[in-house]
Amino acid sequence: MCGILVYTHGFRDVASSLRPFIQRRGPDYYGVKNLDNLTAESSVLSLRSPITPQPMVSGNNILCYNGQLYNNSYMDTLKVMETLSTTDDSSSRAKAEAIENLFSFEGEFAFVYIENNIIYFARDQLGRRSLLYKQNEDGIIISSVGEPGFVECLAFGVFYTYDMSTNILETHSASKSVYPPVSTTLDLEPSSEPMYVDNVLNTLKEAVSRRLVLPAPNTDVAVLFSGGLDCTLLAALIDDLLPPTSRIYLLNVAFENRRTNTMYDTPDRILARRSYEELMNRRMKLDGNSESNQRFVLTEIDVPYEQACAAKDQVVQLMYPNASVMDLSIALAFYFAAMPQDSSENPRIIFSGLGADELYAGYSRHTSMRNSELAEELQLDFSRLPHRNLGRDDRVISDQARDVRYPFLDKDFVNLALETPLCLKSDGVDTKIALRKVALLMNLPLVSTEKKRAIQFGARSAKMDPGSGRLKGKDGLN
């Protein structure tokens, strides 16, 4: 995880206010490159050795890059620079083709690239890394975090160009989205169901495996862990794939809620303890060892009311341009879940189960929808991920110098999920049917029956203040 801050000099004051946020994202290195009327700054969170200093300079070209690529043998930043700069043709069409090539890589990234007085910038196809900008008569500023007046970059194959000589900003589409529409197929032959479920399991396992690109063989990792179906599946798959010397930290957060007068035995805390035991039992059965092991570390993070209140202003700025009551309650939960604890063991790589609900009909509202109505709703849910969820989550979690990875949003897994028949998503009663069947295959019978509970309610980060019970999630912040 790295931080990007590129600006023309009319935005120096704004850059100064954003710089601390950029620095926290990447504590291992901070670089600055100055041009006549442009400054490019990058922070680096090093997850592979050796560290790659940024901004990267190649001839007259400059790159600020944030992310991970999972299908190349190069260090990521070098591969991105190579992809964008190795062309003798400087035409806009040639550059669009180079960016389209970059979009074809599997990975979670955002970049700003400067060549011949033109700034190119974009997020990956799904927008799994944050990137925002602001442009006016003073020029332009592009950053991993923002403030009022900033706009979040579009995803799904969109990239931007800014001409420093004319102050003209343009939006382009390098290609159509690589993703198919949500399937409207209702049923499948009963004999075909095991094949579909096996395919879901194998594709998800490959997605997790791709994201276990680690600095060293004994590197520990973490999972945002409510104890629910999605995160427990990820924890089990990581357990199957991670070297035996590594540990898996299960990060579970609970808030003191003054409105309900409750402390830390929240619904998610109770469920996390049960799912942790199921994971431990599964591991012992696989090992044939009845002794306790230290593979999983359930990390219970308790957030006092005063601490949550003290962090509110910073979290509100981090999650911008998201600005609803629901956004704040979710962002607070992720902010504290990712916060390093009073231990020397604080894994930098965090896995998130985001995407499973949008792809496999995981929300309770999905059970009231059938056939084409359900397909349309899932298509809408999927299309909103870059702006409703991903940008916000990246900004909040990365402020703690953590790198968040999304196996359910792996390109191959997404393509499979979008083409899966609706009968393996919701039958009007159950949700995420295919994933529940996967959990059974993985010897997780208890978690396979768990219903969806939003993190803000499971951790009780929603409506913590006395008198806030009438607020709705969609309401704006005061």
Side-chain angles (χ1 to χ4, degrees), residues 21-318:
F21 293 93
I22 302 301
Q23 290 172 330
R24 284 196 296 271
R25 290 174 65 97
D28 297 322
Y29 182 87
Y30 201 89
V32 180
K33 176 65 176 177
N34 287 300
L35 300 179
D36 290 341
N37 187 39
L38 182 81
T39 297
E41 305 182 21
S42 286
S43 63
V44 178
L45 178 70
S46 181
L47 297 172
R48 303 188 198 182
S49 182
I51 191 170
T52 304
Q54 290 200 55
M56 177 174 282
V57 179
S58 176
N60 294 321
N61 306 333
I62 300 172
L63 173 67
C64 297
Y65 171 76
N66 167 33
Q68 301 290 334
L69 300 180
Y70 302 116
N71 57 349
N72 73 90
S73 58
Y74 298 81
M75 287 185 292
D76 290 349
T77 312
L78 294 174
K79 180 64 176 177
V80 174
M81 175 65 90
E82 176 189 82
T83 301
L84 294 175
S85 63
T86 53
T87 175
D88 295 328
D89 186 351
S90 61
S91 69
S92 58
R93 181 174 181 178
K95 192 57 64 181
E97 290 176 352
I99 293 172
E100 183 171 353
N101 186 25
L102 182 60
F103 283 150
S104 71
F105 298 160
E106 173 51 25
E108 300 146 348
F109 60 85
F111 71 89
V112 178
Y113 175 74
I114 301 115
E115 179 182 301
N116 295 333
N117 221 37
I118 304 294
I119 304 175
Y120 303 85
F121 58 102
R123 304 160 76 188
D124 68 66
Q125 281 273 7
L126 269 181
R128 287 163 288 188
R129 291 291 181 259
S130 172
L131 197 64
L132 304 99
Y133 68 90
K134 182 177 181 180
Q135 189 244 352
N136 59 25
E137 65 276 4
D138 293 326
I140 196 168
I141 182 169
I142 309 159
S143 176
S144 298
V145 297
E147 61 181 30
F150 276 67
V151 177
E152 192 165 46
C153 293
L154 299 172
F156 295 111
V158 172
F159 73 96
Y160 299 81
T161 58
Y162 174 77
D163 189 324
M164 289 187 281
S165 62
T166 63
N167 194 25
I168 294 176
L169 175 69
E170 295 183 300
T171 304
H172 312 266
S173 180
S175 64
K176 295 181 180 179
S177 172
V178 299
Y179 301 106
V182 171
S183 172
T184 57
T185 301
L186 302 179
D187 300 305
L188 73 164
E189 293 293 329
S191 60
S192 300
E193 184 179 291
M195 177 192 68
Y196 266 92
V197 175
D198 282 344
N199 202 10
V200 171
L201 171 56
N202 292 331
T203 307
L204 182 59
K205 186 174 183 177
E206 290 169 2
V208 172
S209 179
R210 271 192 282 272
R211 283 157 179 79
L212 287 173
V213 178
L214 305 175
N218 61 343
T219 299
D220 298 330
V221 301
V223 180
L224 295 173
F225 194 73
S226 67
L229 173 63
D230 312 327
C231 60
T232 307
L233 275 178
L234 293 184
L237 286 168
I238 294 168
D239 182 28
D240 292 345
L241 295 164
L242 201 64
T245 53
S246 298
R247 291 191 287 183
I248 304 166
Y249 286 75
L250 308 176
L251 307 178
N252 179 269
V253 64
F255 287 78
E256 177 189 0
N257 191 304
R258 292 283 177 87
R259 182 180 63 85
T260 59
N261 196 29
T262 54
M263 295 298 286
Y264 306 122
D265 281 333
T266 62
D268 277 3
R269 177 62 52 80
I270 295 168
L271 178 58
R273 290 169 179 167
R274 194 186 80 169
S275 297
Y276 164 74
E277 291 297 331
E278 186 167 40
L279 287 166
M280 292 285 285
N281 290 336
R282 176 181 182 272
R283 170 47 45 204
M284 286 188 285
K285 289 178 181 178
L286 291 173
D287 286 344
N289 184 354
S290 60
E291 296 181 3
S292 174
N293 65 73
Q294 299 300 314
R295 177 62 148 179
F296 295 101
V297 181
L298 180 59
T299 305
E300 298 185 352
I301 303 163
D302 298 335
V303 184
Y305 175 80
E306 290 82 2
Q307 189 178 4
C309 291
K312 180 178 176 180
D313 288 346
Q314 179 161 322
V315 173
V316 167
Q317 179 162 358
L318 284 168

Side-chain angles (χ1 to χ4, degrees), residues 417-459:
L418 293 174
E419 295 173 343
T420 297
L422 293 174
C423 64
L424 286 178
K425 297 182 178 181
S426 174
D427 59 6
V429 178
D430 272 335
T431 61
K432 294 189 285 195
I433 293 172
L435 297 182
R436 296 184 189 284
K437 293 179 182 293
V438 166
L440 289 173
L441 287 178
M442 296 187 65
N443 297 313
L444 296 168
L446 294 179
V447 80
S448 72
T449 65
E450 279 303 321
K451 303 299 183 184
K452 168 69 179 178
R453 183 188 297 114
I455 187 171
Q456 66 268 35
F457 302 119

